[in-house]
Amino acid sequence: MAGNKPSRKPASSSGSTRRPPRRRPQPHQRSFSGWINQHKHAIRFSLKRLWFNPVSTWITLAAIAIALSLPASLSLLLTNMQTLTDDKREVPTITAFMKENISEQQTKDRAELLQELSEIANVQVVTRDQALADFKNITGFAETLETLDENPLPHVLILTPNLERLGDDKVLQAFADRLKSYPEIDSVQIDVEWIQRLRAILRIADHVVLVVAVLLGLTVLLVIGNTIRLDIENRKEEITVTRLIGATNSYIRRPFIYGGLWLGLFGGTFSLIIVNIALLFLVSPVQQLASLYGSNFTLSGVNPLMSLQILAVSALLGIIGAWLAVGRFLWRDEVVD
Amino acid sequence: MIEFRGISKRYAAGQLALYNVNLKIQAGEMIFITGNSGAGKSTLLKLIALLERPSKGELLVGGTPLNKLSRHQVPAYRRRIGFIFQDPHLLYDRTVFENVAIPLLISGMGLVEIRRRVNAALDKVGLMHKAGSYPLMLSAGERQRVGIARAVVNRPTIILADEPTGNLDPALAQDIMYTFAQFNELGTTVLIASHDHMLVERMKKRIIVLQKVEE
Ligand SMILES: Nc1ncnc2c1ncn2[C@@H]1O[C@H](COP(=O)(O)OP(=O)(O)O)[C@@H](O)[C@H]1O
Ligand SMILES: [Mg+2]
């Protein structure tokens, strides 16, 4: 085996003067301004990169926006229903429906008697004619109702309980049962009843929304992670080359992490736009409906805090998704040419 | 500056590329590595740039044994070296300017300084007018020069060039060699692998001749 020991030829001319290497300015790598510059470059480059393939970027953004707007609008719906039930908590009312054969006069008599009770703060009589008129207003089925020969509605008493005596749900229920035992009264309905039921449903719905939010958040994570992963695949060559000329792992990671951040942030912004547009369509019909019920309930929209929360969550999902996609480059060995 | 102590390199595939190389290169020296194809010229340069690791022996650069560098320190070490690859490894979706700017971006330089330095480097290799072109629009020789501009733009302490003139016509090859000599005048240590004996002889520098290892 012959070694390939280098044969040395003396430098044949005195042209090569040997001087110590000049002190060069240290690369900016370690300085703070260098770090800021690197981030600036990464931000600029990753934003530019988004529009490199606009179609796929738009599709990704749409997927993220839709996935985020679903839990956002669901939780908005819940918030609104919760304010609706909060409203009613203060003034529960008891509605007593008279039997069909009870006359208007008999109803008014019963009302007067009830007014005497200390449990009752106020009694309001709604005659079957009034009820029919209201009903026509509310439903807009005026013509349909016109065709009925007879008014099918009973007289109704609307009782406002004295909360000092009937504050407790159980006591209220007992009082309602007592009302039911009067001969004129057919049935009694406490409107806190449906509110209680609604509250129970809302509590469950809260959990459902949470589960939906987690699942769709995971979807967003996967969508962003996959987009970034594809981007990395497309830029393998670039990663190899920049490594060869001294890029650190964090330098290589940075534009991808920013890419994920942008996808999350812009996707979140679009989801807010979607939710707000949907609200715009709902506001006036809801207000109309509410006013028919004499309620001044207004649909509450996405408040600034909630908007910020959505953006923060979507941005975070973007960063995590990109981080997961880029993670394996952290552990990879140095690239060898 | 660079010292090979009993360096051997056997590739994973089994080829013995270098056997027991002992070599000292002074700081600020310009030196040519010649030898036939397969003699191990590229391997020798790659060992210095830490693109390959020796199988045996010790390699010191600037007094530091390279095997003592942690993985964490390798990128910073590489940034002190300008490597001109046989195949220039350009990014084809970036302009010439952007390609040359990459080492400066990695170093975290500001845009104004980057523009100044990239233009200076492109000027050196005579490609100022091609700054906005994409590599695919260039000839092989021009691409090679873009690779050279990228290697020198960060003012490395060591320039390693692997057949840098392989794709150039003789006049241009001579020009490029003088450009390297200029960098060397400024204090940069320059190692050039080349099998063009005529050109190498003309430069009147120390020449290392490698012979293929016979097993
Ligand atoms: N990555 C590699 N894997 C395996 N063998 C290699 C590799 N690179 C080079 N070699 C072998 O090592 C020897 C020296 O190659 P190289 O350093 O490229 O020589 P030169 O640049 O002088 O032509 C050759 O026999 C070549 O086949
Ligand atoms: Mg070679």
Side-chain angles (χ1 to χ4, degrees):
Chain A
M1 198 199 265
N4 58 345
K5 279 193 187 126
S7 64
R8 291 178 198 198
K9 287 190 185 176
S12 45
S13 123
S14 58
S16 72
T17 44
R18 272 162 209 178
R19 54 182 91 146
R22 249 213 225 142
R23 278 193 68 78
R24 277 149 222 288
Q26 268 298 300
H28 300 210
Q29 173 62 17
R30 298 210 176 275
S31 73
F32 181 68
S33 78
W35 185 79
I36 293 283
N37 276 332
Q38 285 182 333
H39 275 269
K40 276 196 213 158
H41 298 320
I43 288 171
R44 203 176 302 121
F45 180 74
S46 55
L47 280 173
K48 214 169 102 188
R49 185 81 203 176
L50 275 186
W51 310 116
F52 218 73
N53 195 346
V55 177
S56 93
T57 298
W58 277 115
I59 292 173
T60 307
L61 287 181
I64 296 165
I66 291 167
L68 286 173
S69 56
L70 197 60
S73 46
L74 278 180
S75 80
L76 204 61
L77 183 74
L78 275 189
T79 317
N80 273 298
M81 292 180 84
Q82 268 147 10
T83 57
L84 202 61
T85 62
D86 285 348
D87 255 15
K88 288 288 186 295
R89 177 177 209 104
E90 321 307 333
V91 265
T93 53
I94 303 169
T95 311
F97 299 90
M98 296 294 140
K99 285 189 176 137
E100 225 183 312
N101 54 357
I102 303 299
S103 72
E104 191 174 327
Q105 194 49 52
Q106 282 170 301
T107 306
K108 282 181 175 158
D109 292 346
R110 176 46 70 194
E112 264 171 51
L113 287 173
L114 286 175
Q115 185 73 70
E116 302 298 315
L117 295 177
S118 61
E119 287 97 334
I120 299 297
N122 183 39
V123 181
Q124 190 198 344
V125 179
V126 180
T127 67
R128 55 169 57 152
D129 293 338
Q130 277 171 326
L132 186 66
D134 284 353
F135 196 51
K136 278 178 184 168
N137 261 338
I138 288 168
T139 57
F141 275 106
E143 275 133 51
T144 321
L145 291 169
E146 217 72 73
T147 63
L148 293 172
D149 294 337
E150 233 178 282
N151 183 349
L153 302 174
H155 298 298
V156 170
L157 295 180
I158 296 174
L159 313 173
T160 311
N162 178 355
L163 284 182
E164 273 166 36
R165 298 292 310 274
L166 295 177
D168 184 77
D169 281 349
K170 276 211 180 92
V171 182
L172 190 66
Q173 189 59 52
F175 180 72
D177 289 342
R178 211 174 103 205
L179 284 180
K180 225 178 190 162
S181 65
Y182 290 120
E184 301 94 330
I185 294 177
D186 183 35
S187 64
V188 173
Q189 193 186 312
I190 309 171
D191 70 358
V192 286
E193 215 173 310
W194 69 264
I195 284 176
Q196 275 160 355
R197 242 176 263 154
L198 185 60
R199 276 204 200 107
I201 292 170
L202 288 182
R203 266 195 295 277
I204 297 168
D206 244 357
H207 288 108
V208 173
V209 170
L210 195 70
V211 171
V212 169
V214 167
L215 286 178
L216 288 172
L218 219 57
T219 309
V220 170
L221 203 70
L222 291 177
V223 167
I224 292 177
N226 194 47
T227 306
I228 299 298
R229 191 186 61 78
L230 286 175
D231 199 21
I232 292 170
E233 288 298 320
N234 288 333
R235 287 159 65 186
K236 273 253 165 71
E237 173 71 13
E238 176 183 337
I239 291 170
T240 310
V241 171
T242 49
R243 258 228 178 86
L244 288 180
I245 54 186
T248 57
N249 276 327
S250 54
Y251 177 86
I252 289 166
R253 264 193 323 254
R254 213 170 280 132
F256 294 110
I257 304 292
Y258 274 112
L261 171 67
W262 302 138
L263 287 177
L265 210 54
F266 296 155
T269 309
F270 285 128
S271 82
L272 283 177
I273 292 173
I274 290 176
V275 172
N276 277 305
I277 288 177
L279 269 174
L280 228 60
F281 280 107
L282 283 177
V283 163
S284 82
V286 165
Q287 219 133 45
Q288 220 172 334
L289 192 66
S291 72
L292 285 175
Y293 279 100
S295 159
N296 55 4
F297 170 79
T298 50
L299 208 55
S300 56
V302 192
N303 59 34
L305 180 67
M306 189 178 170
S307 305
L308 278 181
Q309 281 170 341
I310 290 176
L311 289 182
V313 166
S314 61
L316 197 66
L317 286 174
I319 291 174
I320 295 172
W323 195 270
L324 291 177
V326 120
R328 51 213 185 88
F329 285 93
L330 270 176
W331 314 114
R332 240 173 54 167
D333 269 342
E334 295 295 326
V335 173
V336 162
D337 183 27
Chain B
M1 184 68 176
I2 301 170
E3 188 175 352
F4 284 69
R5 286 188 190 158
I7 293 280
S8 296
K9 171 65 184 178
R10 188 187 286 280
Y11 283 101
Q15 292 93 332
L16 188 60
L18 293 175
Y19 176 70
N20 192 25
V21 174
N22 291 285
L23 175 62
K24 247 185 191 163
I25 298 163
Q26 301 300 321
E29 194 173 356
M30 179 158 172
I31 193 166
F32 286 92
I33 320 282
T34 64
N36 294 332
S37 171
K41 304 182 292 295
S42 300
T43 303
L44 190 136
L45 294 185
K46 285 176 184 173
L47 288 176
I48 299 172
L50 274 180
L51 301 177
E52 294 288 353
R53 299 273 187 177
S55 325
K56 217 195 230 163
E58 198 173 33
L59 178 51
L60 291 94
V61 175
T64 316
L66 291 191
N67 58 4
K68 292 273 156 41
L69 286 183
S70 72
R71 252 178 59 183
H72 198 68
Q73 293 170 307
V74 170
Y77 169 75
R78 277 200 193 138
R79 282 198 297 276
R80 287 169 41 211
I81 293 176
F83 201 108
I84 292 138
F85 302 93
Q86 213 159 347
D87 156 30
H89 284 299
L90 303 180
L91 300 182
Y92 288 89
D93 58 351
R94 314 273 184 100
T95 63
V96 166
F97 183 96
E98 288 166 336
N99 267 285
V100 175
I102 294 171
L104 305 180
L105 292 170
I106 294 174
S107 297
M109 209 171 273
L111 277 188
V112 178
E113 178 73 359
I114 287 179
R115 193 160 301 128
R116 206 178 60 71
R117 286 230 203 162
V118 171
N119 285 335
L122 284 176
D123 196 31
K124 265 237 153 64
V125 296
L127 280 179
M128 266 297 257
H129 59 294
K130 296 281 187 182
S133 307
Y134 286 88
L136 283 177
M137 299 150 69
L138 304 180
S139 71
E142 286 169 329
R143 270 179 234 161
Q144 187 66 275
R145 279 144 71 198
V146 175
I148 293 169
R150 189 184 62 191
V152 300
V153 74
N154 212 7
R155 298 181 192 155
T157 42
I158 301 171
I159 291 176
L160 305 174
D162 194 355
E163 313 270 1
T165 58
N167 290 316
L168 306 180
D169 59 74
L172 203 52
Q174 188 71 66
D175 267 8
I176 291 295
M177 284 303 176
Y178 282 128
T179 308
F180 284 130
Q182 278 174 24
F183 280 109
N184 176 243
E185 289 291 303
L186 294 172
T188 309
T189 309
V190 181
L191 273 83
I192 300 171
S194 174
H195 58 246
D196 186 343
H197 289 285
M198 301 272 278
L199 184 62
V200 168
E201 294 290 346
R202 230 175 297 144
M203 295 306 292
K204 314 250 184 274
K205 302 284 184 189
R206 183 148 75 112
I207 298 169
I208 306 291
V209 182
L210 290 181
Q211 274 153 22
K212 197 169 168 57
V213 187
E214 307 295 342
E215 282 187 87

